[in-house]
Amino acid sequence: MYAGLTIVHIVAGTLGLVSGFGAFLAPKGRPVHVLAGRVFVASMLVMSGLGGALAVFEPDRASVVAGMVTFYLVLTSWLTVSRAPGQLDLLNWGAVALAVGTAAAGVVFGLEALNSPTGLIDGIPPQPVFVFAGLATLGVLLDLSLLPRRGVRGRHRLARHLWRMGIAMVIAAAAFFLGQQQVFPEAWQGLWLGLPVLLVLFATLGWLGMTLAGRLPGTSATRSAG
């Protein structure tokens, strides 16, 4: 069963990366973008949920935190655009509870690594664990800021959707290209496998900047955001 779930995890992650790149490249708001986005959400939720659960049994506590924060980011990004502007429900606050637990676990595991004789936790240094905890904390703070505003609207709604999807894809790309370098030809390892991760990061920052500036191309959402 473990081997079968691992295969599902790998297939879902691969499908998530392919559909994620498709969502980035497709004109925003068009049917191709919407379809690629739906495939991305479904596959990434399966990938991150299974990855976090399987990591419990290895054990690989850093991957548990990475899976939890990725699941949270994808879920809240999808909720942002699947609900009416300003709508908040119990699923939103369930996601906040997940992020709080993720942040707490990340801090605990990171401190365990710092205090261990090797400076590692399950073979991983504390820095990435603290980064995942920081992302979860940032998400919680931004979620809580929605309370007095009763949700988010306009271009800020699109920005919330975009940065959460983009960072989730950065995590998935890093896990695939950098975390599994041994499956790639030796000539590709190192800098070359870091390029797809940087591409996703820069694409996310670029789209986010255009969204906040009201210049998102390929969709009428920009004109109606203000």
Side-chain angles (χ1 to χ4, degrees), residues 38 53 100 131 148 150 179 207:
R38 288 174 177 170
V100 170
V131 169
R150 299 186 63 81
W207 283 114

Side-chain angles (χ1 to χ4, degrees), residues 16-214:
L17 287 175
V18 172
S19 59
F21 278 111
F24 266 123
L25 296 174
K28 301 299 174 282
R30 301 294 176 82
V32 173
H33 171 76
V34 174
L35 176 61
R38 288 174 177 170
V39 174
F40 176 81
V41 169
S43 56
M44 287 290 287
L45 289 177
V46 171
M47 183 276 295
S48 58
L50 270 180
L54 293 172
V56 173
F57 299 98
E58 292 193 16
D60 182 354
R61 283 165 284 185
S63 292
V64 172
V65 178
M68 290 171 64
V69 75
T70 304
F71 189 95
Y72 159 75
L73 289 173
V74 173
L75 177 61
T76 51
S77 177
W78 172 72
L79 288 173
T80 299
V81 293
S82 65
R83 300 292 192 267
Q87 180 183 353
L88 299 174
D89 55 27
L90 290 178
L91 191 54
N92 289 96
W93 301 118
V96 173
L98 173 63
V100 170
T102 301
V107 170
V108 170
F109 296 156
L111 291 176
E112 284 188 30
L114 286 175
N115 294 321
S116 70
T118 61
L120 304 173
I121 182 169
D122 303 326
I124 304 295
Q127 290 83 356
V129 186
F130 284 130
V131 169
F132 296 138
L135 286 172
T137 302
L138 174 62
V140 169
L141 293 176
L142 293 175
D143 287 343
L144 294 179
S145 72
L146 301 182
L147 279 173
R149 294 183 288 153
R150 299 186 63 81
V152 62
R153 296 168 176 80
R155 69 187 63 175
H156 296 287
R157 177 171 176 253
L158 294 177
R160 173 183 166 88
H161 164 69
L162 195 150
W163 85 259
R164 290 170 184 250
M165 284 290 191
I167 295 302
M169 189 172 172
V170 169
I171 296 173
F176 181 78
F177 291 105
L178 300 180
Q180 306 294 329
Q181 295 199 45
Q182 71 277 4
V183 305
F184 292 93
E186 187 175 351
W188 295 10
Q189 296 178 16
L191 176 63
W192 291 110
L193 290 179
L195 292 180
V197 182
L198 292 176
L199 175 63
V200 175
L201 177 60
F202 291 145
T204 299
L205 295 176
W207 283 114
L208 182 60
M210 286 188 290
T211 300
L212 292 175

